[in-house]
Amino acid sequence: MVIPVHDVNPVRRTPWVTYALIAANVYVFLSTPGLAGSVAGGSSLSQLCHLQAFLDHYAAVPRELIHHQMPRLVPTGGTGVGAHGAGCVVAPPSYHKSPPVSVFTAMFLHGSWLHLLGNMLFLLIFGNNVEDRMGHIRYALFYVVCGYAASYGFALANADSSDPLIGASGAIAGVLGAYLVLYPKARVWILVPFLLFLPLRLPAWLVLGFWFVLQALYSSGEGVSTAGTVAYAAHVVGFLVGMLLAWPLKPGTPPPPEPRGLVFGRRARPRHTW
């Protein structure tokens, strides 16, 4: 997968909403029990039980979203020893969980540093221009709508799943879809893993189009042995909804500046007109 690092598309105003979303995601991740400190992946049983209890409380679960079937027993965060050895203690929930609200809270949860940093990188690079075009308030509403559409779209396709759905990927996929509609010719610097990392500057329609095709293939099971823990279908739904919502803004969107001097990671020769 290519890694975007910068786009040649300046903004007219400070993207405060994008910055606030990044700060909120980082803060929630650092506040998630048993997760932020486990950089090496060596979490203890106690940390894992606290994390599971936290996610069951705040993550979106497809079965809860579609059927409103709430679990009778949930992890409490404590540990104990049973007939099968040590494990997490479960009990009837001591809280009331609203499935629609859980979609919003799940948009700020991430499962690892890599999950968080990858999402925030895409949001930082592409979100600022979408916010610049939409305005702060409309962009914030757009982000939330894309996140809800992605979560419910995934839940409809996996209505009986009890696996927690977390991450800002669905909402950010909507941002990518909007960027593709509004700035398809903007140039994006990417790193391609070839031996080390090869820097290239490509049009946004190629970078984001390639990303979307991969998500669509993975969501259908192509190219991966199993769907794993990544909700590719949520990415597809979020991307398409973002494109649809941004389409009315396309006619009045000024084109990005034409980059000069740098082509595919190398400095181009200056042109002389006669």
Side-chain angles (χ1 to χ4, degrees), residues 115 119 146 149-151 153-154 165-177 211-212 214-216 218-219 229-242:
H115 187 199
N119 276 344
C146 289
S151 295
F154 178 83
L165 181 63
I166 61 173
S169 304
I172 296 173
V175 173
L176 302 186
W211 182 89
F212 176 75
L214 281 182
Q215 306 309 302
Y218 291 161
S219 68
T229 58
V230 180
Y232 294 111
H235 301 172
V236 172
V237 173
F239 192 93
L240 293 176
V241 170

Side-chain angles (χ1 to χ4, degrees), residues 55-56 59-71 97 99-100 102-103 106 150-166 231 233-234:
L55 294 181
D56 280 2
V61 178
R63 180 182 297 176
E64 297 173 4
L65 296 179
I66 303 303
H67 302 301
H68 291 273
Q69 295 179 354
M70 310 304 294
K97 181 179 181 181
S102 72
V103 174
S151 295
Y152 272 98
F154 178 83
L156 285 171
N158 302 271
D160 296 323
S161 174
S162 58
D163 295 330
L165 181 63
I166 61 173

Side-chain angles (χ1 to χ4, degrees), residues 195-251:
L195 298 179
L196 294 175
F197 286 98
L198 177 65
L200 296 176
R201 189 178 66 188
L202 301 175
W205 67 264
L206 183 58
V207 175
L208 298 180
F210 176 70
W211 182 89
F212 176 75
V213 169
L214 281 182
Q215 306 309 302
L217 289 175
Y218 291 161
S219 68
S220 65
E222 298 292 333
V224 289
S225 58
T226 176
T229 58
V230 180
Y232 294 111
H235 301 172
V236 172
V237 173
F239 192 93
L240 293 176
V241 170
M243 291 185 65
L244 180 64
L245 294 178
W247 201 268
L249 299 176
K250 182 176 176 60

